[in-house]
Amino acid sequence: MSMDTIQDLFEHGLEDIYHAEHQLVDALEDLEENTERDEIAEAFAEHREETQGQIDRLEEVFEMFGEPPEKEECEGIEGLIEEYEEFESMDPAQEVMDYHNMAAAEKTEHYEIAAYGNLIPLADQLGMDEAADLLEENLREEQDALDELKELTETYAMDAIPAE
């Protein structure tokens, strides 16, 4: 595929985030399973359901193009998942793992927010108002998920983790 037009750039970004969201459905399940605190695990479960809805919206955007949904490997998300798996392999204490899970999820939310934030003006430029609206809905959900994670992180009882 050549990268000469706004449409090329938009399609590439769409395929990238489509792949990322699919990867994150599985990653959120892992986060939920590897988290002991119920309120944190529930947040991951809720966002996993939202992520499936985001995938459905992305598929609607592909339909608007008259193209079947395609994935372009999202190396950013792959790197974040690899980083998480490496940390998990260090067999951290559960309290450390719970905190790390929230931090890892926050990183991915920032990535997704940036991806959607970059796609929306491209959709606008292409005159794809309905697509921009769907992407905006995904963006709002990602921002809400980030806000919830930040709140959970801020209220996490850090004294459960030894300082040294």
Side-chain angles (χ1 to χ4, degrees), residues 44-73:
F44 293 140
E46 288 171 15
H47 193 52
R48 185 171 188 261
E49 287 180 34
E50 278 183 344
T51 301
Q52 188 56 58
Q54 292 165 359
I55 289 170
D56 294 342
R57 280 186 220 106
L58 290 171
E59 289 172 352
E60 286 183 56
V61 174
F62 277 107
E63 272 184 40
M64 292 173 189
F65 261 110
E67 296 287 331
E70 290 187 33
K71 298 176 190 173
E72 171 76 29
E73 184 174 0

Side-chain angles (χ1 to χ4, degrees), residues 72-110:
E72 171 76 29
E73 184 174 0
C74 179
E75 293 185 29
I77 289 299
E78 293 294 337
L80 290 170
I81 291 171
E82 184 179 316
E83 180 181 286
Y84 176 81
E85 290 170 348
E86 186 177 314
F87 184 85
E88 184 182 30
S89 74
M90 295 178 200
D91 196 30
Q94 187 60 52
E95 298 83 16
V96 173
M97 192 72 211
D98 285 356
Y99 188 86
H100 184 266
N101 287 348
M102 290 183 297
E106 281 187 42
K107 286 179 185 180
T108 62
E109 293 308 323
H110 282 285

